[in-house]
């Protein structure tokens, strides 16, 4: 193992590889199997997050007072039920979040397979389903189907807004990342992540990596020490050595 590589970066790469392999395997299965696996794994992740949040808010639920009289006002009682649902213990929160994330992921999976794309409509439909189920399971708004539907609509509107914002601001970032995948990986392995902005400012993309030299790195305002590390890495990396050799033969 190369001790010069960042162990955190190696772990992230391994986790990403495992996730990628799992997605490839799932995508080759039938729709029911894929939807079941995606729903289960997403629900498990949501349950873990909800359980952790429940440990932080469990004391709040126990501190909520019970109604003083059977002739209570339904309006305050509804607010009390909502507070109890949102501040329950680990098991309650784990259940709530597992349902919310699992249903969302499952519906998204089915719609992606059926419609062949991911768009704002699919995102909002999935959010509506998860919001409705979350309301019914958690008791937010009481056992009222109308309130559950209203919660679903609220979730859908919020998710739709988030999707459009992410779509607007994510296009340029996605284009940028595609051109800097290998560059980012190299800098991360060398512990020089803070110089990514220098590479991007100097338009030193993945296609220019085999052409890097002292002058180019200096023009990108990269200090002498990091320059030496980068050039040494380029000389020892088999991929870049082969590219340089093929270029010299032309």
């Amino acid at each position: 193992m190369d001790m010069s590589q960042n162990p955190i970066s190696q772990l992230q790469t391994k986790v990403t590889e495992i996730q990628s392999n799992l997605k490839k395997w799932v995508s080759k299965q039938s729709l029911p199997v894929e939807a079941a696996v995606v729903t289960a794994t997403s629900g498990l992740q949501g349950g873990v997050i909800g359980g952790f949040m429940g440990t932080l808010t469990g004391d709040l639920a126990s501190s909520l007072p019970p109604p003083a009289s059977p002739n209570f006002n339904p309006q305050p009682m509804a607010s009390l039920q909502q507070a109890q649902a949102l501040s329950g213990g680990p098991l309650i929160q784990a259940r709530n979040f597992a349902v919310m994330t699992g249903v969302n992921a499952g519906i998204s999976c089915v719609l992606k397979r059926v419609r062949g794309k991911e768009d704002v409509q699919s995102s909002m439909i999935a959010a509506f389903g998860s919001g409705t189920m979350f309301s019914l399971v958690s008791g937010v708004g009481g056992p009222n189907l109308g309130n559950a539907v209203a919660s679903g609509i609220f979730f859908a509107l919020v998710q739709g807004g988030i999707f459009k914002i992410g779509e607007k601001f994510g296009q340029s970032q996605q284009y940028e990342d595609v051109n800097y995948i290998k560059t980012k990986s190299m800098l991360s392995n060398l512990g020089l992540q803070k110089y990514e902005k220098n590479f991007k400012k100097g338009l030193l993309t993945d296609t220019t990596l085999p052409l890097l030299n002292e002058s180019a790195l200096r023009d990108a305002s990269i200090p002498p020490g990091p320059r030496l590390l980068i050039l040494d890495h380029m000389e020892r990396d088999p991929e870049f050595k082969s590219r340089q050799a093929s270029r010299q033969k032309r």
Side-chain angles (χ1 to χ4, degrees):
M1 187 174 95
D2 188 355
M3 297 302 294
S4 64
Q5 292 189 342
N6 189 331
I8 296 180
S9 175
Q10 289 180 330
L11 178 60
Q12 291 175 337
T13 302
K14 190 64 176 177
V15 171
T16 301
E17 182 181 350
I18 294 174
Q19 291 177 335
S20 177
N21 291 336
L22 178 61
K23 287 181 179 180
K24 289 180 180 178
W25 177 85
V26 169
S27 64
K28 296 177 181 179
Q29 308 307 309
S30 63
L31 178 56
V33 173
E34 181 182 6
V37 172
V38 170
T39 301
T41 54
S42 298
L44 179 61
Q45 292 176 351
V48 171
I49 296 174
F52 175 74
M53 292 184 62
T55 61
L56 302 178
T57 60
D59 292 339
L60 177 60
S62 61
S63 66
L64 293 172
S69 168
N71 299 320
F72 56 83
N73 191 320
Q75 188 74 22
M77 185 57 186
S79 299
L80 175 62
Q81 289 176 334
Q82 292 182 15
Q84 288 175 331
L86 297 175
S87 62
L91 293 179
I92 294 177
Q93 291 288 42
R95 178 201 63 190
N96 295 347
F97 276 78
V99 169
M100 182 171 61
T101 57
V103 170
N104 189 295
I107 295 177
S108 297
C109 172
V110 173
L111 291 176
K112 181 180 179 180
R113 180 74 77 92
V114 173
R115 303 182 68 217
K117 60 181 180 180
E118 292 180 281
D119 54 14
V120 65
Q121 287 85 0
S122 296
S123 181
M124 292 180 69
I125 293 172
F128 173 81
S130 65
T132 301
M133 289 303 300
F134 174 79
S135 178
L136 292 173
V137 171
S138 67
V140 174
N144 187 312
L145 184 59
N147 289 335
V149 171
S151 297
I153 294 174
F154 174 76
F155 273 57
L157 293 175
V158 171
Q159 183 62 29
I162 293 174
F163 187 95
K164 298 301 290 185
I165 293 174
E167 189 177 49
K168 179 179 179 180
F169 291 97
Q171 289 177 347
S172 59
Q173 183 65 37
Q174 182 179 8
Y175 173 78
E176 187 177 80
D177 288 343
V178 167
N179 290 294
Y180 290 94
I181 294 175
K182 294 181 179 179
T183 301
K184 186 174 182 179
S185 175
M186 178 192 70
L187 293 175
S188 179
N189 289 336
L190 295 174
L192 302 175
Q193 298 94 321
K194 65 179 181 179
Y195 295 110
E196 289 179 22
K197 59 183 180 182
N198 299 69
F199 272 74
K200 293 175 181 178
K201 187 176 180 180
L203 299 180
L204 299 176
T205 63
D206 290 350
T207 56
T208 67
L209 284 181
L211 306 174
L212 283 183
N213 54 34
E214 177 81 14
S215 176
L217 293 174
R218 187 187 303 112
D219 290 342
S221 300
I222 297 177
R227 287 204 303 264
L228 292 174
L229 290 175
I230 293 171
L231 292 174
D232 178 68
H233 174 82
M234 302 295 295
E235 290 179 1
R236 292 187 294 108
D237 191 290
E239 179 182 358
F240 295 117
K241 287 175 66 177
S242 63
R243 287 188 180 184
Q244 291 173 346
S246 62
R247 191 176 70 251
Q248 291 173 356
K249 292 180 181 179
R250 294 178 183 175

